[in-house]
Amino acid sequence: MWTDKHRGIRVTQEELLCRNACGYYGNPAWHGLCSKCWREKARPTGAPRQDTRPKNDGIPVTFSKFEEKKNIEKGHRINTMRRLFWGSPSSPKRQESSEDHTKALKAFQSLEPGDFASFLKVLRSPPSQRLQSQCTAFLNTVEAYHDLPVQKQSDLVQDFYMSFAEHFSSFSEAHVTQIMEHVEKLTMTRLHKWVFCHDSCDDEQKDLLLQRRIRSLNWVTPQMLDVPFPDKSTTVTTDPFLPAITAIIEMDAKRAPQDKLACVSKCSHHVFEALSISNSEPANADDFLSGLIYVVLKANPPRLHSNVQYVIRFGLPHSLMAGESGYYFTNLSCAVAFIEKLDGPALNLSPEEFEGYMLNQRTPAVGEKRQKTASETQQLLEELKGRQEKLDKGMDTLNIQLQNWVQTVHSQLDEATSQFARVQKEIMSQADVSHGSSSSSQDASPQGDDKNQFLQVLTDQHAGLKDTDC
């Protein structure tokens, strides 16, 4: 898929398509096939269960008879699922009037794109009781048998999608797609905890291996991947790929496959925006894949392998086989496959140089802009250190001044206290002298009031000095 001509990473549109030339996007996880071709190829070659093998008493079974037996078993399985989730067609409890069926179809047809809340409201309405019962029965059954191998769970979910879509066969393809996206979100949001990173597969071990692989490649620079970066003349100070890195990390927090695909699409849009900032020319497929690989290496998204496999197993086929989401997800799968097989020639490095980087014996050359940034940062740190030392000295000086002021206030308070005691003593002595005669006491009554007022003023001043000291 990749060649070393002109760029370390190169992929054509034809290489992204299915190897069977069906026109849909392929995927490295399916050996270059689309989901439809892969399932058609995987079903006949799957190991049959022992209790369903044809018994012929030693007579060889021809291939045509084996295929006929498999088709009969497949038909029985589908009919069993229909009876389980829908009930028998002759059952009076499962019958619904044509009027209710028409009302339900009209309600589903009037839904706005992306209005999941209205979808739930319509599904829970009385005319849609049969569809709601089908969803509830399927979810309860999968939860009850969550120990089944993850591939069998995937087959059950995909069969459920197909059977549920048959209710809307009279709708346009766009309406059916819209409704099935709501069905997928409802189904997988509830089943996520049972089927994601299932115990029957080795997704967890592969997550750890991929995470270690990406961590060991943290030395890869955009220049090695031929990712266009802003020129020195531009005013861009931060990594333009930072929004894309944030978007791809958010994928693990989502539950529904379509929400995870939305994170991949959001990340891809940010990659194109970053490439448009970094390069005056429109970004091509090679630039996009290089930028996406750089984003994955810098982000090291949590449980990346499990998230990719979860979307492949339980996502709607049309979301992966065609359209914008299918193109972006196929490129993400190619990026993961490229990282797993990354070697020196893909980065325009010799095997010795690549091995030196992997063993931490070499480090990438630092550009002039990065050196300038490091120098400016060091200078700023030294300036901040000087300002901090100056601030510490100022705080020490202010502390000394505060202590001196406290001492001054104490001395003033002691002086005011002694003066108050002398004045109070003089006033008391004068009051005793004037208390001897009644006439003089009448005349001295106003003077006594003046003295009491003067005593009150001194008391208030004394209290004010105490408050100031506190």
Side-chain angles (χ1 to χ4, degrees):
M1 180 176 292
W2 299 278
T3 63
D4 54 358
K5 297 179 181 179
H6 306 292
R7 288 186 178 275
I9 307 167
R10 192 171 182 84
V11 62
T12 62
Q13 180 71 15
E14 290 73 15
E15 290 175 318
L16 295 177
L17 298 177
C18 177
R19 288 194 296 112
N20 284 355
C22 62
Y24 296 114
Y25 288 116
N27 196 293
W30 297 320
H31 304 287
L33 300 174
C34 67
S35 62
K36 181 180 179 181
C37 296
W38 172 254
R39 292 184 185 279
E40 291 178 354
K41 179 182 177 181
R43 285 183 187 274
T45 58
R49 293 172 295 183
Q50 293 182 359
D51 57 347
T52 59
R53 288 183 181 272
K55 299 179 181 180
N56 53 8
D57 298 329
I59 302 175
V61 180
T62 62
F63 183 77
S64 60
K65 290 185 178 181
F66 179 77
E67 285 295 319
E68 182 181 357
K69 181 66 177 178
K70 292 294 292 182
N71 292 333
I72 294 175
E73 292 173 2
K74 182 179 178 181
H76 288 168
R77 185 182 66 177
I78 294 177
N79 293 331
T80 301
M81 287 188 60
R82 289 178 176 175
R83 287 194 300 270
L84 177 63
F85 301 136
W86 300 348
S88 175
S90 60
S91 176
K93 295 183 179 180
R94 298 291 181 176
Q95 292 293 332
E96 61 179 356
S97 65
S98 59
E99 183 179 355
D100 289 343
H101 182 69
T102 303
K103 288 182 179 179
L105 293 181
K106 288 183 178 180
F108 280 109
Q109 197 167 13
S110 62
L111 291 174
E112 295 293 334
D115 194 353
F116 184 66
S118 297
F119 167 77
L120 293 178
K121 185 177 180 180
V122 172
L123 184 64
R124 293 167 182 169
S125 62
S128 305
Q129 184 177 4
R130 181 181 179 184
L131 298 178
Q132 182 184 5
S133 299
Q134 180 184 355
C135 290
T136 303
F138 173 74
L139 293 174
N140 292 337
T141 302
V142 175
E143 288 182 350
Y145 294 96
H146 61 271
D147 292 333
L148 288 174
V150 67
Q151 190 56 47
K152 292 187 178 296
Q153 292 178 337
S154 174
D155 293 339
L156 287 175
V157 171
Q158 296 298 330
D159 290 340
F160 171 73
Y161 290 157
M162 294 177 60
S163 62
F164 199 90
E166 292 179 359
H167 292 285
F168 312 100
S169 57
S170 60
F171 287 11
S172 64
E173 184 178 354
H175 275 92
V176 176
T177 300
Q178 171 188 331
I179 294 173
M180 292 310 300
E181 287 178 353
H182 294 319
V183 173
E184 180 214 77
K185 187 170 185 177
L186 171 65
T187 303
M188 299 316 303
T189 300
R190 179 169 168 179
L191 297 181
H192 176 271
K193 63 179 180 180
W194 300 110
V195 301
F196 183 82
C197 199
H198 199 266
D199 294 337
S200 63
C201 58
D202 56 350
D203 288 347
E204 185 175 358
Q205 290 78 9
K206 290 184 177 180
D207 281 331
L208 295 175
L209 293 176
L210 181 58
Q211 192 173 34
R212 293 169 185 168
R213 174 68 174 174
I214 294 177
R215 192 182 298 117
S216 67
L217 295 171
N218 60 355
W219 48 267
V220 176
T221 63
Q223 292 75 20
M224 293 180 180
L225 295 170
D226 289 322
V227 178
F229 244 65
D231 300 331
K232 298 179 181 179
S233 58
T234 60
T235 58
V236 179
T237 57
T238 59
D239 190 345
F241 291 92
L242 185 59
I245 294 173
T246 304
I248 198 65
I249 292 176
E250 291 176 353
M251 179 175 62
D252 186 61
K254 307 299 181 180
R255 292 187 178 183
Q258 61 178 285
D259 293 337
K260 293 182 182 293
L261 285 176
C263 292
V264 176
S265 298
K266 182 180 178 181
C267 169
S268 301
H269 291 159
H270 286 309
V271 170
F272 276 112
E273 292 176 0
L275 293 174
S276 64
I277 296 175
S278 306
N279 197 359
S280 58
E281 299 178 356
N284 53 35
D286 295 336
D287 292 335
F288 169 66
L289 183 57
S290 300
L292 188 59
I293 292 173
Y294 171 75
V295 168
V296 174
L297 289 176
K298 290 302 177 182
N300 198 357
R303 301 190 293 186
L304 179 57
H305 175 81
S306 293
N307 281 290
V308 170
Q309 293 299 317
Y310 176 75
V311 173
I312 289 174
R313 292 165 182 157
F314 302 101
L316 292 172
H318 74 269
S319 299
L320 307 179
M321 294 163 56
E324 185 182 75
S325 60
Y327 176 77
Y328 292 147
F329 184 76
T330 300
N331 276 273
L332 176 62
S333 301
C334 292
V336 174
F338 176 85
I339 291 173
E340 292 175 343
K341 300 178 181 179
L342 184 61
D343 55 6
L347 300 176
N348 297 324
L349 299 174
S350 65
E352 293 77 13
E353 291 175 332
F354 182 82
E355 189 68 20
Y357 284 122
M358 293 297 292
L359 296 176
N360 293 327
Q361 297 176 355
R362 299 171 61 96
T363 55
V366 181
E368 295 180 0
K369 183 177 180 179
R370 189 172 298 180
Q371 289 181 345
K372 182 179 179 181
T373 303
S375 177
E376 292 176 352
T377 304
Q378 183 66 26
Q379 184 179 358
L380 180 61
L381 290 175
E382 293 178 357
E383 181 181 352
L384 292 175
K385 183 179 179 181
R387 292 172 62 182
Q388 182 66 31
E389 293 177 353
K390 185 178 180 180
L391 181 62
D392 292 340
K393 292 180 181 179
M395 291 179 61
D396 294 338
T397 304
L398 181 61
N399 190 21
I400 294 174
Q401 293 177 355
L402 182 61
Q403 292 178 357
N404 294 335
W405 179 78
V406 171
Q407 292 177 358
T408 303
V409 170
H410 279 293
S411 62
Q412 291 178 356
L413 180 62
D414 294 340
E415 182 179 356
T417 302
S418 61
Q419 184 179 1
F420 174 77
R422 290 196 302 270
V423 172
Q424 186 178 20
K425 185 176 181 181
E426 292 177 357
I427 292 175
M428 294 299 295
S429 61
Q430 292 179 2
D432 293 340
V433 172
S434 61
H435 187 68
S437 62
S438 59
S439 60
S440 61
S441 89
Q442 292 178 359
D443 297 335
S445 178
Q447 297 179 358
D449 293 338
D450 294 338
K451 293 177 182 179
N452 290 334
Q453 292 178 358
F454 179 71
L455 181 62
Q456 183 65 32
V457 170
L458 290 178
T459 304
D460 294 340
Q461 292 180 354
H462 180 69
L465 288 175
K466 285 188 175 182
D467 293 338
T468 305
D469 183 34
C470 295

